[in-house]
Amino acid sequence: MRSGVNHYKVVFLGEAGSGKSSIVVRFARDEFFAFQEPTIGAAFLTQTVSLDNGIVKMEIWDTAGQERYRSLAPMYYRGAKVAFIVYDVTNKDSLDKAKGWIEEVRIRGESDVIIVLFGNKMDLNDSRRVDKTEGQALADKYDLLFSEVSAKTGENITDMMIKTSVELLKLKPDAPLNADSIRFTNDGLSHKNNKCC
Ligand code: GTP
Ligand code: MG
């Protein structure tokens, strides 16, 4: 049983317009904007989930999907314990993009990162281009948590955040900072002392 608040860095990744910010805003503020502005760089929000066996505080980095911000992404997924990867069920290309993100986070992210795949905009069933089974197949292939969701109606978002928090509490907590393990080095000094070169 863990007491206190457990903090975790989490990141949202996915195609521009897939609804990352809308999902974050629905989760953190319970709001939805039909004209959500494209994210510039990244946005930061927090939300806390209280469970019987611990409190999870998600420190959420909502990244910008536009290609011009692509090079910033590693800064946000590095150290993240959860990567929420979002595609849009009305946009087939966004599923391919999601696959790319899954592979990148698996290779370059934390070794124990929890990856959650969201097929967003499930309310737009009439313009659907990606079947639920395709999202499920991708999730099964990489052993991910998966759900179709709607930031607009809120469907499945709370449930998935609770499931994710349950998984987070199973992770080994980060080691507390140990003063003995901190070393200061000064390259300039050591060069002088060693009479290097
Ligand atoms: P970038 O910040 O550019 O990467 O985009 P994003 O992934 O954050 O997408 P954003 O949340 O800005 O949503 C893009 C558009 O889709 C906005 O107009 C939203 O209102 C709309 N949208 C987001 N989620 C949903 C949803 O679940 N259903 C519907 N119908 N529209 C949605
Ligand atoms: Mg955004």
Side-chain angles (χ1 to χ4, degrees), residues 13-191:
L13 299 163
E15 172 106 292
S18 58
K20 298 176 294 299
S21 301
S22 299
I23 293 170
V24 171
V25 167
R26 170 62 72 196
F27 173 50
R29 307 271 179 269
D30 201 17
E31 290 178 330
F32 175 77
F33 302 102
F35 301 101
Q36 178 73 42
E37 296 285 329
T39 306
I40 295 170
F44 180 77
L45 287 96
T46 65
Q47 178 60 303
T48 301
V49 180
S50 297
L51 300 173
D52 286 346
N53 63 332
I55 300 170
V56 170
K57 183 167 182 184
M58 295 197 198
E59 297 169 345
I60 306 165
W61 287 100
D62 166 26
T63 66
Q66 288 177 40
E67 212 45 48
R68 75 181 97 155
Y69 301 113
R70 179 69 187 75
S71 63
L72 301 178
M75 199 160 78
Y76 298 110
Y77 67 65
R78 215 172 281 139
K81 293 296 186 188
V82 186
F84 292 100
I85 297 179
V86 181
Y87 69 90
D88 170 352
V89 302
T90 71
N91 173 355
K92 189 96 181 168
D93 288 346
S94 71
L95 186 70
D96 294 336
K97 237 347 185 324
K99 183 168 183 270
W101 281 120
I102 294 164
E103 287 173 352
E104 181 165 340
V105 170
R106 270 282 155 83
I107 293 167
R108 299 192 203 288
E110 291 291 290
S111 58
D112 56 356
V113 65
I114 297 163
I115 304 181
V116 183
L117 182 65
F118 278 155
N120 189 36
K121 309 194 188 180
M122 68 183 291
D123 57 288
L124 296 178
N125 224 357
D126 292 348
S127 31
R128 179 187 280 277
R129 297 283 175 279
V130 182
D131 200 82
K132 186 176 175 186
T133 55
E134 294 176 72
Q136 187 66 65
L138 184 60
D140 290 347
K141 181 173 173 200
Y142 291 93
D143 198 19
L144 318 177
L145 288 177
F146 167 70
S147 182
E148 288 194 344
V149 297
S150 168
K152 183 173 180 180
T153 65
E155 193 168 355
N156 294 341
I157 291 180
T158 307
D159 273 8
M160 287 307 290
M161 291 309 188
I162 292 171
K163 276 191 187 140
T164 305
S165 301
V166 168
E167 293 305 312
L168 273 171
L169 285 178
K170 291 182 191 164
L171 292 183
K172 198 162 75 53
D174 283 344
L177 198 59
N178 172 3
D180 293 342
S181 67
I182 300 173
R183 295 274 179 275
F184 293 101
T185 53
N186 178 316
D187 281 348
L189 261 183
S190 66
H191 273 278

